[in-house]
Amino acid sequence: QVQLVESGGGLVQAGGSLRLSCAASGRTFSNYAMGWFRQAPGMEREFVAEIRWSGGTYYTDSVKGRFTISGDHAKKTVYLQMNKLKPEDTAVYSCAVGGSAGVWEYWGQGTQVTVSS
């Protein structure tokens, strides 16, 4: 079994910053990439950012220039530095582990991020 635990969510004013962390543990698993997704109330879950251990980071357009994903492959950890937060960034943020391109196999429970105007 694989467990992912996120931390770092909270309440912040618009323009502020938060840093999310996610650590994966458990049995050996294929770890092609780690990523962050978010789901706002009444909305579908959406992709936010991804880091591929072979190289490369990817972001959804709405967070480019504001969010930065980083991580440590050996430690199976991933971070999301979120700057210049906007009220529309309010959502539950979840991390995920990808076993291959486009296939997200394991998910965390999520951490709430609330941005007040």
Side-chain angles (χ1 to χ4, degrees), residues 58-71:
Y58 305 87
Y59 300 90
T60 192
D61 286 346
S62 63
V63 308
K64 286 180 181 177
R66 300 188 298 122
F67 291 10
T68 303
I69 190 170
S70 62

Side-chain angles (χ1 to χ4, degrees), residues 44-55:
E44 296 287 325
R45 182 169 61 195
E46 67 168 344
F47 167 80
V48 177
E50 171 187 357
I51 181 167
R52 296 184 185 178
W53 303 122
S54 61

Side-chain angles (χ1 to χ4, degrees), residues 32-106:
Y32 170 82
M34 292 185 74
W36 288 95
F37 292 74
R38 67 186 180 186
Q39 187 168 21
M43 304 292 285
E44 296 287 325
R45 182 169 61 195
E46 67 168 344
F47 167 80
V48 177
E50 171 187 357
I51 181 167
R52 296 184 185 178
W53 303 122
S54 61
T57 55
Y58 305 87
Y59 300 90
T60 192
D61 286 346
S62 63
V63 308
K64 286 180 181 177
R66 300 188 298 122
F67 291 10
T68 303
I69 190 170
S70 62
D72 187 320
H73 187 197
K75 295 183 178 179
K76 302 174 188 175
T77 58
V78 65
Y79 309 96
L80 187 67
Q81 178 66 43
M82 305 186 293
N83 299 328
K84 300 179 182 179
L85 282 160
K86 304 175 181 180
E88 52 263 43
D89 294 318
T90 294
V92 174
Y93 285 69
S94 300
C95 69
V97 170
S100 60
V103 179
W104 300 97
E105 296 185 327
Y106 304 104

